[in-house]
Amino acid sequence: MTLYIDPPLWPGHGRMWSHLVSDVSFDELHAFAGRMGLPDRAFDGDHYDVAESSYADAVRLGAVEVRSRDVVRLLRAAGLRRRKAGRYR
Protein backbone atom coordinates (compact mmCIF):
# COMPACT_ATOMS: atom_id res chain seq x y z
CA MET A 1 0.00 0.00 0.00
CA THR A 2 1.61 3.21 -1.18
CA LEU A 3 0.15 6.67 -1.58
CA TYR A 4 2.05 9.40 -3.38
CA ILE A 5 1.91 13.18 -3.18
CA ASP A 6 3.56 15.79 -5.38
CA PRO A 7 4.80 19.18 -4.13
CA PRO A 8 2.22 21.95 -3.63
CA LEU A 9 2.96 23.75 -6.90
CA TRP A 10 -0.53 24.13 -8.36
CA PRO A 11 -2.32 27.45 -7.72
CA GLY A 12 -6.05 27.69 -7.18
CA HIS A 13 -8.51 29.52 -4.96
CA GLY A 14 -5.75 31.60 -3.39
CA ARG A 15 -3.72 28.55 -2.30
CA MET A 16 -1.16 26.12 -3.58
CA TRP A 17 -2.19 22.47 -4.10
CA SER A 18 -0.71 18.98 -4.31
CA HIS A 19 -2.13 15.80 -5.83
CA LEU A 20 -2.54 12.67 -3.72
CA VAL A 21 -2.71 9.39 -5.67
CA SER A 22 -2.65 5.63 -5.11
CA ASP A 23 -0.83 3.06 -7.19
CA VAL A 24 -3.21 0.29 -6.07
CA SER A 25 -6.86 1.33 -5.84
CA PHE A 26 -9.34 4.11 -5.29
CA ASP A 27 -10.50 2.32 -2.12
CA GLU A 28 -7.00 2.73 -0.69
CA LEU A 29 -6.95 6.38 -1.78
CA HIS A 30 -10.35 7.16 -0.23
CA ALA A 31 -9.39 5.43 3.04
CA PHE A 32 -6.19 7.49 3.30
CA ALA A 33 -8.05 10.69 2.46
CA GLY A 34 -10.56 9.83 5.19
CA ARG A 35 -7.74 9.46 7.73
CA MET A 36 -6.50 12.88 6.65
CA GLY A 37 -9.96 14.38 7.02
CA LEU A 38 -10.14 15.46 3.37
CA PRO A 39 -13.66 16.33 2.18
CA ASP A 40 -15.29 14.30 -0.60
CA ARG A 41 -15.21 17.40 -2.83
CA ALA A 42 -11.38 17.21 -2.81
CA PHE A 43 -11.56 14.05 -4.97
CA ASP A 44 -11.01 14.98 -8.62
CA GLY A 45 -11.66 11.81 -10.60
CA ASP A 46 -8.38 9.98 -9.98
CA HIS A 47 -6.67 12.01 -7.26
CA TYR A 48 -7.30 14.19 -4.25
CA ASP A 49 -6.36 17.85 -4.26
CA VAL A 50 -4.47 18.56 -1.05
CA ALA A 51 -3.91 22.11 0.18
CA GLU A 52 -0.34 23.10 0.97
CA SER A 53 -1.33 23.42 4.64
CA SER A 54 -2.11 19.66 4.71
CA TYR A 55 0.94 18.47 2.77
CA ALA A 56 3.02 17.68 5.87
CA ASP A 57 0.08 15.72 7.34
CA ALA A 58 -0.05 13.51 4.25
CA VAL A 59 3.68 12.81 4.45
CA ARG A 60 3.49 12.16 8.20
CA LEU A 61 0.70 9.62 7.58
CA GLY A 62 2.88 7.80 5.04
CA ALA A 63 2.42 9.42 1.62
CA VAL A 64 5.61 9.23 -0.44
CA GLU A 65 6.84 12.48 -1.93
CA VAL A 66 7.27 12.37 -5.73
CA ARG A 67 7.81 14.87 -8.51
CA SER A 68 4.71 16.25 -10.20
CA ARG A 69 5.57 14.51 -13.47
CA ASP A 70 5.52 11.14 -11.67
CA VAL A 71 1.87 11.44 -10.59
CA VAL A 72 0.36 10.74 -14.02
CA ARG A 73 2.94 8.02 -14.70
CA LEU A 74 1.98 6.26 -11.45
CA LEU A 75 -1.74 6.54 -12.22
CA ARG A 76 -1.31 5.18 -15.74
CA ALA A 77 0.88 2.28 -14.58
CA ALA A 78 -1.79 1.32 -12.02
CA GLY A 79 -4.60 1.63 -14.59
CA LEU A 80 -6.24 4.34 -12.48
CA ARG A 81 -5.82 7.39 -14.75
CA ARG A 82 -9.12 9.06 -15.58
CA ARG A 83 -9.37 12.01 -17.91
CA LYS A 84 -11.85 14.75 -17.18
CA ALA A 85 -14.77 14.81 -19.61
CA GLY A 86 -14.36 17.46 -22.26
CA ARG A 87 -10.75 18.24 -21.42
CA TYR A 88 -9.32 16.77 -24.63
CA ARG A 89 -11.95 17.53 -27.24
Side-chain angles (χ1 to χ4, degrees), residues 31-73:
F32 190 90
R35 287 194 302 278
M36 283 189 65
L38 297 177
D40 292 344
R41 70 180 178 276
F43 184 65
D44 194 17
D46 57 10
H47 68 275
Y48 275 86
D49 292 322
V50 178
E52 181 176 25
S53 59
S54 297
Y55 182 85
D57 293 335
V59 174
R60 188 174 63 255
L61 287 171
V64 175
E65 298 170 282
V66 296
R67 298 173 299 181
S68 295
R69 70 176 113 176
D70 294 328
V71 169
V72 172
R73 182 185 56 77

Side-chain angles (χ1 to χ4, degrees), residues 8-51:
L9 300 174
W10 306 97
H13 308 287
R15 298 189 213 181
M16 299 301 282
W17 298 87
S18 294
H19 302 103
L20 178 69
V21 302
S22 170
D23 67 347
V24 174
S25 72
F26 291 123
D27 290 339
E28 173 188 51
L29 180 60
H30 295 312
F32 190 90
R35 287 194 302 278
M36 283 189 65
L38 297 177
D40 292 344
R41 70 180 178 276
F43 184 65
D44 194 17
D46 57 10
H47 68 275
Y48 275 86
D49 292 322
V50 178

